[in-house]
Amino acid sequence: MQTIDQALARLRTSKFRAGFHLDDKERRYVEEKGMEVIRSHAERFIAKRLAPAEISNDGKQTPMRGHPVFKAQHACGCCCRGCLEKWYRVPRGTELTADQQRRIINLLMAWIKREMENI
């Protein structure tokens, strides 16, 4: 099992994944709301858009912008079940466990935290 640091280092080797960064508006949003509120948003987004076994619009359910968590999902390969399978070997067609959801959220929050620190 890889650590968050290992996962983030591996993601940086992908030109596509490494190209995502928080913009000024998203940074301000994180500063205004705080990390706990952003985490609660991540929990809700993952539970609704990624955790179900079957997702009708899989591959298109996560916008490319509009919220820091959406950007983090793309940067971390957690935007759809296809990317979860490719990057983390999480099979499609099965509901994500509470532990899997927690791990995804922790990864997303670590990415957001690093983005906030790298101004």
Side-chain angles (χ1 to χ4, degrees):
M1 181 177 353
Q2 66 184 342
T3 66
I4 287 175
D5 288 337
Q6 290 168 333
L8 292 174
R10 184 169 168 242
L11 289 159
R12 282 193 298 271
T13 67
S14 165
K15 186 175 182 180
F16 178 72
R17 303 290 169 198
F20 288 97
H21 298 285
L22 294 180
D23 62 26
D24 290 338
K25 183 178 178 183
E26 292 160 336
R27 286 176 188 276
R28 282 192 305 273
Y29 186 80
V30 173
E31 288 171 355
E32 289 170 10
K33 297 296 182 181
M35 292 297 275
E36 287 307 310
V37 169
I38 299 300
R39 177 179 282 279
S40 73
H41 294 173
E43 290 168 350
R44 190 173 67 241
F45 294 153
I46 297 306
K48 181 180 178 185
R49 298 172 180 242
L50 200 62
E54 299 296 327
I55 302 167
S56 62
N57 61 340
D58 192 31
K60 298 179 179 84
Q61 75 266 36
T62 305
M64 297 290 272
R65 58 187 163 276
H67 195 285
V69 172
F70 296 156
K71 189 95 44 104
Q73 284 183 260
H74 288 290
C76 294
C78 300
C79 46
C80 67
R81 294 305 293 267
C83 289
L84 274 182
E85 187 171 61
K86 175 183 175 180
W87 284 91
Y88 307 103
R89 297 187 183 117
V90 175
R92 297 180 200 192
T94 58
E95 186 173 341
L96 295 179
T97 66
D99 185 56
Q100 288 170 319
Q101 290 180 58
R102 180 186 54 77
R103 289 172 184 258
I104 290 167
I105 292 159
N106 287 343
L107 177 62
L108 299 176
M109 295 307 297
W111 183 87
I112 291 170
K113 182 178 184 232
R114 286 184 182 191
E115 282 290 301
M116 294 300 291
E117 292 171 352
N118 293 324
I119 295 178

